[in-house]
Amino acid sequence: MGFDGLVVVSDPYLQRRFTQADLRVLQTQYAALRDASPNGRLRIRDLPAAISSVRGRGAVRGRDAEKENSAPEPGPGLGLTDEEWASVLKAVARADEKPHQDASFELFLRVYAEMQLRLKAASGGGAGRAGGIARSSSSSAVAFLTAATTTLLHTISESEKASYVGHINAYLAEDPFLKTALPIDPATDHIFHVTKDGVLLCKLINLAVPGTIDERAINTKRVLNLWEKNENHTLCLNSAKAIGCTVVNIGTQDLAEGRPHLVLGLISQIIKIQLLADVNLKSTPQLVELVEDSKEMEELMSLSPEKILLRWMNFQLKKGGFQKTVTNFSSDIKDSEAYACLLNVLAPECSAKPSAMSVKDLLHRARLILEHADRMGCKRYLTPKDIVDGLPNLNLAFVAHIFQKRNGLSKQMKQVSFVDGLSDDAQVSREERSFRLWINSLGISTYINNVFEDLRNGWVLLEVIDKIAPGSVNWKMANRPPIKLPFRKVENCNQVLKIGKELKFSLVNIAGNDIVQGNKKLILAFLWQLMRYNILQLLKNLRFHSNGKEITDNDILAWANKKVKDSGKHHSHMQSFKDKSLSSGTFFLDLLSAVEPRVVNWSLVTKGEKDEEKQMNASYIISVARKLGCSIFLLPEDILEVNQKMMLTLTASIMYWYLKRPTSHSLDSENGSSCETTSITTSDDSASESSIDDNTTR
């Protein structure tokens, strides 16, 4: 099993020059420059103009945005002259790389490395080079180098580290395995050593969203070898994605090496998810107090937990007569005035003298605020200085914990008509969650909080389509948010459906306005086809011997059955992706064991006959698949109820992991050429009955 997340380049010099963390960040920046270029093609001659856009306008898409933020004309960028740019490109471009050709990622890396060398020379760090960058323009070039790779600065906040370590010490102190490692001294960097085996991070994920990881799948020996640590890190990253963390630029090797800025960034996201878990209408329906009508309800449902928390805070501040509106967790609360009012509204009985507002010194005032919170039973996520300095992450954590302890909302939920239909049935909620997490894992620029609300303007769907079918979106015809006019949203959604038809999606009786209106059934049906298309394209791209022929659901079914049969399990078989026998979990455990014999601990597997046994197997299957390297977003209930869509994605993810391994064999050699030809050419997808005509009728 190889390490996940490695970026490999063919030039040994470049591979040695950049760390894996650097390469991932630069790869993301290169993709952004390419996507912002006309027709998604970044030509060598356009590199100067494209790179210069990093400093200011950035990627621009959409008809309205083009007028104000059109890409700069080709010419000098970063303050470099034409001659200096020509010299840089001449130094790094190979003989077969012509100006009109596309700029590869490796050429982008060579330009970056060359600029680093010349800047070093220009600033006196080394001998000058012919055609080097002039000192007068070096500051502009530095702006690109820092903008392109801000995370390469590798800076961490000592205050945040101390706060997160305190959180870990408090919440995981009783964990049997971690008892010997805790408490961690926040004044040292020991946290980055403790996380190197992956166990603490997995436990922290389960603390944030209980049940995400079946702890039987975590390798918890006192001394783990490299493969066992890597399995834990792989399980951690795939599970982090499954709870909503963004891990685009983090790989297992980064966790194994304990890279401080990446480890702390991941811990920050996990703790934030834990603290904000109740800041939503589903967990805290009393939040309906914050809205007055159906329009405000729609807005609230589309807000991120952070925005809802701000709205709740202002709602409580209004009760206390506070005149200002808090818009952030930084500058707006540095003077502690908002905190003083909030705590007096929520817990007036915990106030003491002197009152916070009677003190002029900001540090003293902040100290009194924290003492008031202590009397409420709130944990300290920050120091008085952190409040005065306006550290946003720690202030957010502090307010979220206050919300958890005492939200001040009525226990009698407001009875209003526009709340009707707020709750979805269990399957709709699970599918919304799966698609939301899948979309957020793609690395698009927009983070979504609610599928049914955030997709209604069509923009996010265009971003998703552009990610899984590059070049299919006509960005000149797209309308970029914020979009006030409804017909502009319909235009975006019409383009979405037009592309869907080109991709051979089943789109009977669905119009762009259905998406704008938030039709849940139709949105879920369309998203399923997007996810399925993405899966099949990934598999197709791995099968070079197929000569571009399409993969079908039956190919995936046949592959899985053959892998299990060839492993010696002749009686383990699935008829289709809706085969009710799949609820026991035994077939998927046989499949996981077939592709990687050591990954399943059979002493932990049940017969899958009783409901409790099925539940245990389903939970174990998901964690084992993630531990293997599968990026999946289903829940145990999907296996128990045999949700055929999720059964297909689970099987396809295992298949994709197996086939992309350098050591895996082609399907031709496994299944036989004649069988492969028959399976590839068929268009029958009865295995999953993935055509959704019946789901798209109104």
Side-chain angles (χ1 to χ4, degrees):
M1 196 188 312
F3 292 106
D4 186 38
L6 291 179
V7 178
V8 180
V9 292
S10 61
D11 188 332
Y13 165 74
L14 295 174
Q15 194 75 55
R16 290 193 305 270
R17 182 173 181 83
F18 299 105
T19 67
Q20 277 299 306
D22 297 345
L23 285 172
R24 279 192 294 276
V25 174
L26 287 166
Q27 189 178 58
T28 300
Q29 186 59 59
Y30 167 76
L33 291 175
R34 183 191 59 207
D35 292 346
S37 301
N39 300 319
R41 297 187 64 185
L42 178 60
R43 301 180 190 276
I44 295 175
R45 66 187 177 209
D46 298 330
L47 268 177
I51 289 175
S52 69
S53 71
V54 173
R55 296 175 54 233
R57 292 170 285 276
V60 176
R61 290 172 176 162
R63 182 187 304 134
D64 298 333
E66 283 185 345
K67 296 176 183 177
E68 298 177 6
N69 299 317
S70 57
E73 293 296 324
L78 309 179
L80 275 62
T81 65
D82 286 332
E83 292 75 16
E84 287 170 339
W85 266 117
S87 174
V88 170
L89 292 175
K90 182 178 180 181
V92 301
R94 294 170 177 156
D96 60 341
E97 292 175 325
K98 305 301 181 185
H100 67 278
Q101 293 179 331
D102 292 349
S104 66
F105 175 53
E106 292 199 14
L107 176 61
F108 176 76
L109 290 178
R110 294 200 298 272
V111 168
Y112 185 87
E114 180 70 12
M115 289 179 69
Q116 281 185 320
L117 291 173
R118 295 187 182 216
L119 280 172
K120 183 178 179 181
S123 61
R129 299 178 62 143
I133 296 174
R135 289 176 186 267
S136 61
S137 60
S138 63
S139 62
S140 297
V142 167
F144 158 64
L145 295 177
T146 55
T149 56
T150 52
T151 61
L152 304 190
L153 299 176
H154 299 174
T155 58
I156 64 171
S157 164
E158 290 296 324
S159 292
E160 288 191 22
K161 182 184 73 173
S163 177
Y164 301 149
V165 167
H167 180 94
I168 290 168
N169 286 339
Y171 281 94
L172 292 176
E174 300 304 316
D175 184 89
F177 182 83
L178 296 174
K179 272 187 176 181
T180 57
L182 300 180
I184 300 168
D185 185 354
T188 69
D189 286 340
H190 190 56
I191 179 65
F192 307 119
H193 174 75
V194 175
T195 55
K196 284 185 177 180
D197 63 6
V199 177
L200 187 146
L201 292 174
C202 287
K203 301 272 189 177
L204 195 60
I205 288 172
N206 265 0
L207 187 63
V209 183
T212 299
I213 297 175
D214 187 324
E215 296 201 2
R216 295 175 297 170
I218 305 174
N219 297 320
T220 54
K221 293 189 303 185
R222 285 299 167 190
V223 179
L224 301 177
N225 61 38
L226 287 176
W227 294 108
E228 290 167 333
K229 290 179 182 179
N230 183 63
E231 285 180 335
N232 281 350
H233 294 318
T234 304
L235 173 60
C236 166
L237 290 178
N238 282 319
S239 299
K241 280 194 287 185
I243 66 171
C245 293
T246 302
V247 296
V248 174
N249 291 318
I250 308 175
T252 56
Q253 192 64 19
D254 299 315
L255 300 183
E257 294 172 4
R259 290 183 176 272
H261 65 295
L262 295 175
V263 172
L264 198 65
L266 180 58
I267 290 174
S268 172
Q269 289 188 74
I270 297 170
I271 292 177
K272 181 177 170 184
I273 288 170
Q274 177 189 350
L275 293 175
L276 295 174
D278 293 331
V279 188
N280 58 75
L281 282 164
K282 185 175 181 181
S283 300
T284 311
Q286 294 85 359
L287 282 167
V288 74
E289 280 191 55
L290 307 186
V291 302
E292 294 296 334
D293 54 38
S294 58
K295 185 176 181 181
E296 287 190 6
M297 174 61 78
E298 289 181 4
E299 181 185 350
L300 186 69
M301 290 175 64
S302 67
L303 294 179
S304 66
E306 297 95 315
K307 296 290 186 184
I308 294 176
L309 198 62
L310 277 173
R311 192 157 180 167
W312 165 81
M313 187 175 184
N314 284 306
F315 176 78
Q316 300 297 348
L317 291 175
K318 189 176 180 180
K319 291 181 183 178
F322 196 70
Q323 299 299 313
K324 302 174 186 175
T325 299
V326 176
T327 61
N328 57 63
F329 292 106
S330 181
S331 59
D332 285 0
I333 48 182
K334 292 169 73 170
D335 59 9
S336 297
E337 290 182 6
Y339 278 143
C341 180
L342 179 67
L343 296 184
N344 281 330
V345 169
L346 296 176
E349 76 282 1
C350 295
S351 60
K353 292 185 178 181
S355 67
M357 291 311 298
S358 67
V359 176
K360 291 185 178 181
D361 181 76
L362 293 184
L363 275 175
H364 187 189
R365 185 187 294 172
R367 190 175 300 112
L368 292 175
I369 292 297
L370 293 180
E371 289 173 0
H372 191 159
D374 284 343
R375 291 190 290 273
M376 290 173 58
C378 293
K379 286 185 171 59
R380 286 200 179 192
Y381 282 92
L382 71 179
T383 65
K385 187 176 184 301
D386 296 332
I387 293 178
V388 175
D389 289 344
L391 297 185
N393 285 342
L394 298 187
N395 277 293
L396 169 64
F398 182 52
V399 176
H401 194 64
I402 293 173
F403 179 90
Q404 281 186 343
K405 279 292 180 181
R406 193 175 301 192
N407 60 40
L409 299 172
S410 173
K411 293 182 180 179
Q412 296 296 322
M413 193 173 128
K414 191 175 180 181
Q415 296 298 317
V416 285
S417 59
F418 53 81
V419 180
D420 295 342
L422 186 62
S423 59
D424 299 315
D425 63 56
Q427 183 165 335
V428 168
S429 295
R430 289 205 307 272
E431 290 194 6
E432 187 278 333
R433 171 194 172 277
S434 296
F435 293 135
R436 169 167 38 87
L437 294 170
W438 170 66
I439 290 171
N440 286 331
S441 75
L442 295 175
I444 63 174
S445 62
T446 307
Y447 189 92
I448 66 170
N449 298 289
N450 184 296
V451 160
F452 304 126
E453 295 299 321
D454 295 350
L455 302 189
R456 290 170 61 174
N457 63 18
W459 179 264
V460 174
L461 284 171
L462 289 173
E463 285 191 290
V464 172
I465 291 171
D466 189 52
K467 180 67 70 171
I468 66 176
S472 59
V473 177
N474 183 350
W475 289 110
K476 291 183 178 180
M477 299 301 293
N479 302 292
R480 188 186 185 96
I483 306 172
K484 294 183 179 180
L485 299 175
F487 77 90
R488 294 292 190 191
K489 299 178 183 180
V490 174
E491 286 179 348
N492 280 353
C493 294
N494 284 341
Q495 184 180 175
V496 166
L497 297 180
K498 178 176 178 290
I499 299 171
K501 291 175 181 176
E502 292 169 357
L503 297 178
K504 305 277 192 330
F505 288 3
S506 174
L507 299 173
V508 178
N509 294 328
I510 179 172
N513 193 52
D514 292 315
I515 299 175
V516 175
Q517 295 299 319
N519 186 309
K520 295 180 180 181
K521 186 176 182 180
L522 297 178
I523 289 173
L524 291 178
F526 185 81
L527 286 176
W528 161 240
Q529 295 192 80
L530 272 180
M531 179 186 273
R532 178 176 173 273
Y533 175 84
N534 184 42
I535 293 168
L536 297 182
Q537 287 302 115
L538 288 172
L539 289 171
K540 175 184 174 182
N541 293 339
L542 286 177
R543 301 172 64 178
F544 301 106
H545 61 277
S546 67
N547 297 318
K549 294 178 180 177
E550 299 300 325
I551 294 277
T552 69
D553 299 1
N554 274 341
D555 292 320
I556 300 170
L557 182 71
W559 173 85
N561 280 325
K562 190 166 194 312
K563 286 303 299 178
V564 171
K565 183 179 179 181
D566 289 349
S567 71
K569 303 291 180 66
H570 298 286
H571 299 293
S572 188
H573 184 84
M574 71 169 158
Q575 298 292 334
S576 70
F577 294 113
K578 58 178 182 177
D579 187 336
K580 292 301 181 183
S581 68
L582 295 177
S583 65
S584 70
T586 54
F587 178 83
F588 288 116
L589 289 164
D590 288 338
L591 178 59
L592 288 164
S593 180
V595 298
E596 178 54 77
R598 60 183 295 278
V599 78
V600 176
N601 183 345
W602 287 102
S603 66
L604 303 176
V605 176
T606 72
K607 293 181 179 180
E609 295 174 350
K610 300 177 182 178
D611 289 345
E612 184 180 354
E613 292 177 340
K614 291 179 179 180
Q615 176 74 36
M616 292 177 67
N617 282 354
S619 176
Y620 188 56
I621 288 165
I622 293 171
S623 290
V624 168
R626 287 176 180 153
K627 180 178 178 178
L628 198 63
C630 300
S631 183
I632 50 178
F633 304 100
L634 73 165
L635 291 171
E637 290 80 1
D638 293 313
I639 297 177
L640 297 176
E641 297 173 13
V642 191
N643 181 325
Q644 65 185 61
K645 298 173 185 176
M646 296 301 112
M647 297 304 92
L648 171 60
T649 60
L650 173 59
T651 310
S653 296
I654 297 171
M655 180 180 180
Y656 178 71
W657 175 85
Y658 179 78
L659 291 180
K660 77 175 181 179
R661 298 186 311 170
T663 56
S664 66
H665 303 289
S666 70
L667 289 184
D668 279 337
S669 61
E670 291 185 345
N671 294 346
S673 297
S674 60
C675 174
E676 180 66 15
T677 303
T678 304
S679 182
I680 283 291
T681 55
T682 181
S683 60
D684 175 24
D685 285 348
S686 59
S688 69
E689 295 185 358
S690 58
S691 175
I692 54 167
D693 289 359
D694 57 325
N695 287 337
T696 52
T697 56
R698 291 175 290 176

